[in-house]
Amino acid sequence: MQIEENKVVLIEYTVKTEEGVLVDTSEGNEPLAYLHGHRNIIPGLENALAGKKIDDELSVNVQPEDAYGQRHDDLIKEVPAQAFQGVDKIEPGMQFHAESPQGPQLITVTKVEGETVTVDGNHPLAGVPLVFDVKVIEVRDASEEELSHGHVHGPGGHNH
């Protein structure tokens, strides 16, 4: 069975930056399960997997525009420290969810100077080309429930 729209796919993967820095891996964990064609994974990887079948292995270079997008300087802001009520000590690297006009947004603290905190609303991997090493473990038809929910249920997927 080939990977195509509305198929459930399980993959083992390792993703690194072009410089070889490990970003994530399924090694030691369950394979990643996703519903093909439903934007459950980044477009560059999903496109590369189309047409593959069980036991296929591939290495895929994914550019930022097909992954987490380019970095945008307008998503870097300085905000007053009092915006972080209830947080005892604000430090670079901390992440918070903030409300934006587009809905919830993950922000990362990049600098703290006195009562001013610099936050970055870019995805941490924005602007970063990624290299995926992938092995296809399983391809199956999606259930009606999975199709209606837009994601995989059971092992490797949602359990609700």
Side-chain angles (χ1 to χ4, degrees), residues 106-140:
L106 181 67
I107 60 167
T108 303
V109 174
T110 59
K111 183 168 54 172
V112 180
E113 288 183 337
E115 292 300 310
T116 302
V117 178
T118 304
V119 296
D120 187 345
N122 286 288
H123 186 283
L125 294 173
V128 179
L130 301 171
V131 180
F132 287 83
D133 290 314
V134 179
K135 180 177 182 182
V136 179
I137 301 303
E138 183 180 331
V139 180
R140 66 170 173 81

Side-chain angles (χ1 to χ4, degrees), residues 77-100:
K77 309 260 187 229
E78 290 185 347
V79 296
Q82 56 261 50
F84 297 87
Q85 292 178 353
V87 179
D88 292 334
K89 185 173 184 190
I90 305 164
E91 297 178 345
M94 295 176 93
Q95 293 185 317
F96 298 90
H97 289 280
E99 284 300 319
S100 75

Side-chain angles (χ1 to χ4, degrees), residues 18-65:
E18 285 185 326
E19 294 78 28
V21 176
L22 180 66
V23 174
D24 194 16
T25 183
S26 64
E27 189 174 321
N29 296 306
E30 294 290 320
L32 172 71
Y34 78 95
L35 184 57
H36 195 82
H38 289 258
R39 307 181 97 194
N40 295 165
I41 62 174
I42 62 171
L45 180 57
E46 187 170 50
N47 292 339
L49 285 165
K52 302 297 186 235
K53 50 192 178 311
I54 294 173
D55 292 330
D56 281 355
E57 295 185 40
L58 59 152
S59 185
V60 182
N61 289 8
V62 179
Q63 294 305 304
E65 54 273 9

